[in-house]
Amino acid sequence: MAAPSSPAAGIRHVQDLPVEGKRVFVRVDYNVPLEKGTKRVTDDSRITATLPTVRHLIERGARIVLGSHLGRPDGQVKREYSLEPVAARLAHLLGQDVTLADEPVGDGARKVVSDLRDGQIAMLENLRFHPGEEANDEQLCRQLASYCDVYVNDAFGTAHRAHASTAGMVKFVTAKGAGFVMAKEIDFLSRLLGDVDRPYVAVLGGAKVSDKIEVLDALLGRVNAIVIGGAMANTFLEAQGKALGKSKVERDKLAIARNFLRKAAEHRVLVHLPTDVVVATSLDGEGAPPVSVDAIPEEGMALDIGPATIENYRGVLTAARTVFWNGPMGVFEKPAFAAGTVAIARALADNKLALTVVGGGDSAAAIAQAGLADKVSHVSTGGGASLEFVQGIDLPGIAALRP
Ligand code: ADP
Ligand code: MG
């Protein structure tokens, strides 16, 4: 379904909800990476992101019930996916107890929730221990809704999923709204759908054309130019008849790529492709001197965009007044092939006149790694969710928050 022209319309902010003395269910995204064995939380940014919402509710004297998934236990109780380390980390960050129920729903969970006093926090065990979560089962929705008077969604990263805790339970709760994370995501991403300052440039990269062809297609109706890099660019280059050696190419997507380039021309959207690339014979290799895309050796793999391409893309991004970036320009995990991605991050950071929005798990990691995350307008916490949002799809987790 297409999103209404203003996706935020009618959605209340948690600050405007009556929460004093009320039981408030907050859907958070605490799907954090854990160290194997020790189960230590290795990156707590998804937890710290929700602190404004949680602290606001504590200060207002709400009785807070947190719900999240962690990993893919597939509807079964699997202890290795327990939220226990997450509850411990949150308690540490807040300097306050967080009581973890040992199940997502049931008598134990109900007891933990009913024992809450104003300003206290309970966390339900991993919601995906219950098969009804991903199935959006009505009975589970009713059970979860019975634990609260107010529903708050602060989990943008799962807003594209119509699950019990993100969508289904909401219709059984009267007061509902968006937490600080969710509200900020809707605010910035909506700006990309409205009347933007131009030129509007989309930078798309990453692993596969097939992951992103829907976004590419949807962007044709909105942007002035599309800048392509990463393995995705290889498929486009091969579609134009270049020889890509041993580069990652989706051979079954060449027709789609050609078709896209034709449609872009019809829409008068400029598509920029690499003119030079950094080539190596293995991922552990050093980046050899850059070569023209017309001279890629048979044994070589294109693993990053080259300096001439960087110059060109930088120029396009400096002139832009709105930028959406998803997908790294190369194998940025390896320093030898990170220059293109870092250059794009820097070009966005340097453009103070533009609205600059970054989405995608690896792209967000790349801009953080470059130390530039706070120099752009917004880095989305959602990978798939941000891509669906910029396509103009009405995400079930957001739609559920409207009156
Ligand atoms: P995001 O998570 O930001 O949406 P993707 O998941 O689509 O991004 O793509 C990221 C992955 O693409 C990275 O692991 C990166 O190493 C890989 N990648 C980028 N460029 C290339 C390339 N030229 N060859 C192989 N892999 C690439
Ligand atoms: Mg990714």
Side-chain angles (χ1 to χ4, degrees):
M1 200 172 51
S5 54
S6 164
I11 297 180
R12 297 172 77 186
H13 194 282
V14 63
Q15 287 174 302
D16 303 322
L17 292 170
V19 298
E20 290 82 356
K22 298 270 172 45
R23 294 168 309 156
V24 180
F25 179 96
V26 188
R27 178 48 158 107
V28 286
D29 181 1
Y30 288 168
N31 184 28
V32 296
L34 300 178
E35 196 173 69
K36 277 211 173 67
T38 69
K39 295 284 160 204
R40 214 176 47 85
V41 176
T42 53
D43 176 358
D44 66 3
S45 47
R46 286 184 168 167
I47 305 176
T48 54
T50 65
L51 291 178
T53 296
V54 176
R55 287 207 173 104
H56 169 79
L57 292 169
I58 295 169
E59 281 161 23
R60 290 287 182 90
R63 304 174 178 204
I64 304 153
V65 182
L66 299 174
S68 179
H69 73 283
L70 175 67
R72 297 178 180 274
D74 290 329
Q76 286 166 31
V77 179
K78 292 187 182 155
R79 280 296 141 202
E80 69 265 36
Y81 295 111
S82 170
L83 281 168
E84 190 164 354
V86 174
R89 177 63 65 93
L90 177 64
H92 173 77
L93 289 167
L94 290 169
Q96 171 175 342
D97 283 349
V98 174
T99 312
L100 181 69
D102 62 1
E103 54 189 6
V105 288
D107 293 340
R110 176 170 300 285
K111 168 101 173 64
V112 167
V113 171
S114 65
D115 285 349
L116 282 174
R117 301 268 165 274
D118 295 357
Q120 291 184 338
I121 305 174
M123 188 183 291
L124 302 176
E125 187 50 285
N126 193 339
L127 296 170
R128 289 191 188 169
F129 281 179
H130 194 299
E133 165 64 358
E134 288 176 86
N136 198 5
D137 171 67
E138 175 157 340
Q139 205 199 329
L140 176 64
C141 293
R142 287 182 186 277
Q143 272 178 297
L144 289 170
S146 75
Y147 298 164
C148 66
D149 313 299
V150 178
Y151 174 90
V152 171
N153 194 334
D154 214 19
F156 177 73
T158 48
H160 58 318
R161 307 279 180 227
H163 294 169
S165 66
T166 59
M169 69 177 282
V170 190
K171 59 182 171 293
F172 302 114
V173 189
T174 33
K176 58 194 176 187
F180 285 76
V181 172
M182 180 66 102
K184 182 163 184 256
E185 292 277 8
I186 298 174
D187 176 15
F188 277 97
L189 294 170
S190 299
R191 294 188 209 176
L192 297 176
L193 297 179
D195 239 338
V196 295
D197 288 342
R198 293 185 180 274
Y200 177 4
V201 178
V203 186
L204 270 295
K208 291 184 186 163
V209 173
S210 45
D211 285 347
K212 304 198 175 156
I213 189 67
E214 279 106 357
V215 191
L216 281 166
D217 273 339
L219 286 169
L220 281 183
R222 302 185 201 279
V223 301
N224 302 100
I226 299 181
V227 168
I228 299 181
M232 184 194 272
N234 297 341
T235 302
F236 280 96
L237 291 169
E238 186 156 309
Q240 291 186 325
K242 316 266 184 219
L244 271 287
K246 295 258 184 309
S247 305
K248 192 173 150 106
V249 173
E250 288 172 279
R251 296 259 137 67
D252 57 336
K253 296 294 178 293
L254 297 176
I256 288 178
R258 261 181 232 118
N259 197 24
F260 173 80
L261 293 172
R262 193 183 43 73
K263 281 186 286 184
E266 283 167 16
H267 278 85
R268 299 185 191 287
V269 171
L270 285 170
V271 178
H272 298 270
L273 288 167
T275 53
D276 62 345
V277 285
V278 176
V279 170
T281 48
S282 96
L283 277 171
D284 298 312
E286 288 300 304
V291 298
S292 155
V293 292
D294 292 310
I296 298 172
E298 252 175 66
E299 293 305 309
M301 293 186 286
L303 297 173
D304 195 9
I305 56 175
T309 305
I310 288 176
E311 258 325 286
N312 175 35
Y313 287 6
R314 197 177 161 79
V316 174
L317 291 171
T318 304
R321 290 298 171 264
T322 303
V323 183
F324 174 67
W325 175 28
N326 169 275
M329 297 291 102
V331 181
F332 73 100
E333 297 92 336
K334 304 269 179 190
F337 313 112
T341 303
V342 173
I344 295 295
R346 184 153 292 289
L348 262 65
D350 287 346
N351 188 341
K352 299 296 173 209
L353 299 174
L355 171 72
T356 46
V357 178
V358 182
D362 291 290
S363 317
I367 197 160
Q369 193 178 303
L372 297 169
D374 59 347
K375 299 281 186 292
V376 294
S377 309
H378 182 62
V379 179
S380 177
T381 56
S386 64
L387 287 179
E388 289 196 18
F389 195 110
V390 300
Q391 282 171 57
I393 296 171
D394 198 16
L395 311 187
I398 294 177
L401 299 178
R402 293 199 199 95

